[in-house]
Amino acid sequence: MVAIHRPARLRTLLAASSVLLVAACVPVQPVEPAPPRADVTGVEIGDRTPRAGGDLVMALSAEPDRLDPTTSSSLYTRYVMNAVCEKLYDIDAKGAIVPQLASALPTVSADGLTVTIPVRSGPVFADGTPLDAAAVVTTLQRNLTLEGSARKAELGPVAEVTAPDPEHVEVRYKTPFSPLAAALADRAGMIMSPKALAEEGDDFGDHPVCVGPFSFEERVPQTSITVKRDPLYYAADQVHLDSITYRIMTDANIRAANLRSGDVQVADSLSPQDVDALAKEKGVGLLQTGSFGYQAITFNVGNVDGTGKPPGAIDTPIAKDPRVREAFALSIDRTALVNSVFNNWYETACSFIAPGSTYSSPASEACPPHDPARAKQLLAEAGVPVPYRITLSTSNNADSLRLAQAIQASVVDGGFDVVIQPVEYSTLLDVQKRGDFEVLQLGWSGRVDPHGNASSFLSTGAANNYSGYSNPEVDTLLKQAAQSNDVATRAELYGKVTEIVQRENPIQYLYRVRSITGYTDVVAGVETYDDGVVRLSRAAFL
């Protein structure tokens, strides 16, 4: 096995893993591309009568990380926080940005350097503290300055954040930054109670306090998280449930079984292996929607001290020679891989921009060919032994392991020998942050603006730059794209970034999921959008 830069830590992870899979198990067979599928983003209450109260139980497919909007990186944390922490902005079912705790969309000065955000008057935090512009400033300053913040890069080159009056926040920039509203429609825009921040400090995530239809109640690690209805919420009359319990069920078969039995009323991330059968079940409904995000393979090319730190050198062929990474890309048949593993439910991806985005371009949609013969030539040119062995870290759930095994089989003809290292999901999040991996398969649930899918992952030293990648040209292109308000200009710049990334391959984009959420017919008001978040704030028993 090729040694990574920190073998002691790798040995620890190997010992902690349940199994190392060496032999290829899943054959990859060419199949027809996925058929078009209509989005179903919600089940409306409509003219039916909602029942007041009740505890809705949602089966959650992975343990969330810390419930702290500033530092968290898990999609599953966003599910819980969506019920507890409202944002300045949100997206609607069509992907449009809409005000939430802001009273209107931001206004921008003529020079593009000052963004003014109007703040709603009236809402209060779950601890009774009034929401005002000063509270918003406190949250944004924390996002910009807290060590380990995953939000700093999302907010752009901020010079100063002030509150000229209780109902307006001004964000002044060093250079123009167009994606701010989109950033504030996710965790960067979740406003935290200044009183709770002062009392809890770095421990805020243990008992988060925000403005939301629900407030945090209890967390039992590896088991469940419970939130309860907040009577102080400004739209409390629109909240029907007494509480929501997010029950951790990492096995897709168990989630599906609990949905069938009615022991849970909502289940996220249903497996494509189960969905066709579930669609025929009486009393079970399915929501499905596309994704702004992607699933990808990340190569550790310089993450030696953890994300947010300067990249270093890793003395392995796959880390230092882009020809080896390109060979891996050429060894993968994305269409056959994705469709055979996921029953035609998912779509191939080759960049950080979804094809339906207004910022999509021919360059961002272009895919590397499947060419194992060329892959072997590149390995020969790089002077590496064939088969070249690498270790692929991945989540230990069934679908992820099925994908990893299919990748393992797919790249054999290109000259690679893949050893699969299964890791528990929340541990895998830490593994990628620390850089304790050689190659890693994980995804990103996606943001409506491409800046949120690219800058933090590809900019030198950024908080989510798990690969430790650094390219001054990419840094410049991403900054230029963020400074422009012209869609065509930004699309062209992101296309150029895609071409460089496909040449150097710190990240190889594989596919986009369809978010498949199940619900029982005793509930309504459940929604899921292209940002991947299941929304339960207005759900009700019927």
Side-chain angles (χ1 to χ4, degrees), residues 460-492:
T460 301
N464 293 333
N465 190 336
Y466 306 118
S467 64
Y469 176 65
S470 179
N471 183 314
E473 185 179 1
V474 169
D475 293 345
T476 298
L477 290 169
L478 290 173
K479 288 177 182 176
Q480 290 174 345
Q483 292 172 14
S484 175
N485 284 308
D486 181 73
V487 171
T489 298
R490 294 187 73 198
E492 180 182 1

Side-chain angles (χ1 to χ4, degrees), residues 268-331:
D268 83 301
S269 304
L270 294 174
S271 171
Q273 304 291 326
D274 300 322
V275 68
D276 290 326
L278 280 171
K280 301 174 184 177
E281 288 275 346
K282 184 178 180 181
V284 174
L286 297 175
L287 306 181
Q288 58 164 303
T289 183
S291 175
F292 296 139
Y294 55 78
Q295 292 288 322
I297 290 174
T298 298
F299 296 87
N300 192 345
V301 299
N303 182 1
V304 298
D305 293 316
T307 56
K309 302 294 193 300
I314 300 175
D315 191 22
T316 61
I318 201 157
K320 66 183 182 180
D321 193 333
R323 292 174 296 185
V324 179
R325 299 191 297 274
E326 182 183 358
F328 195 88
L330 294 172
S331 300

Side-chain angles (χ1 to χ4, degrees), residues 59-62 247-264 266-278 281 284 341 343 396-402 516 518:
L60 202 59
S61 56
R247 193 176 296 166
I248 315 303
M249 296 183 181
T250 57
D251 189 301
N253 292 327
I254 293 176
R255 290 197 301 280
N258 275 263
L259 193 67
R260 289 186 177 99
S261 69
D263 288 338
V264 305
V266 181
D268 83 301
S269 304
L270 294 174
S271 171
Q273 304 291 326
D274 300 322
V275 68
D276 290 326
L278 280 171
E281 288 275 346
V284 174
V341 174
N343 290 351
N396 61 355
N397 67 69
D399 280 349
S400 294
L401 291 175
R402 205 162 23 241
I516 307 170

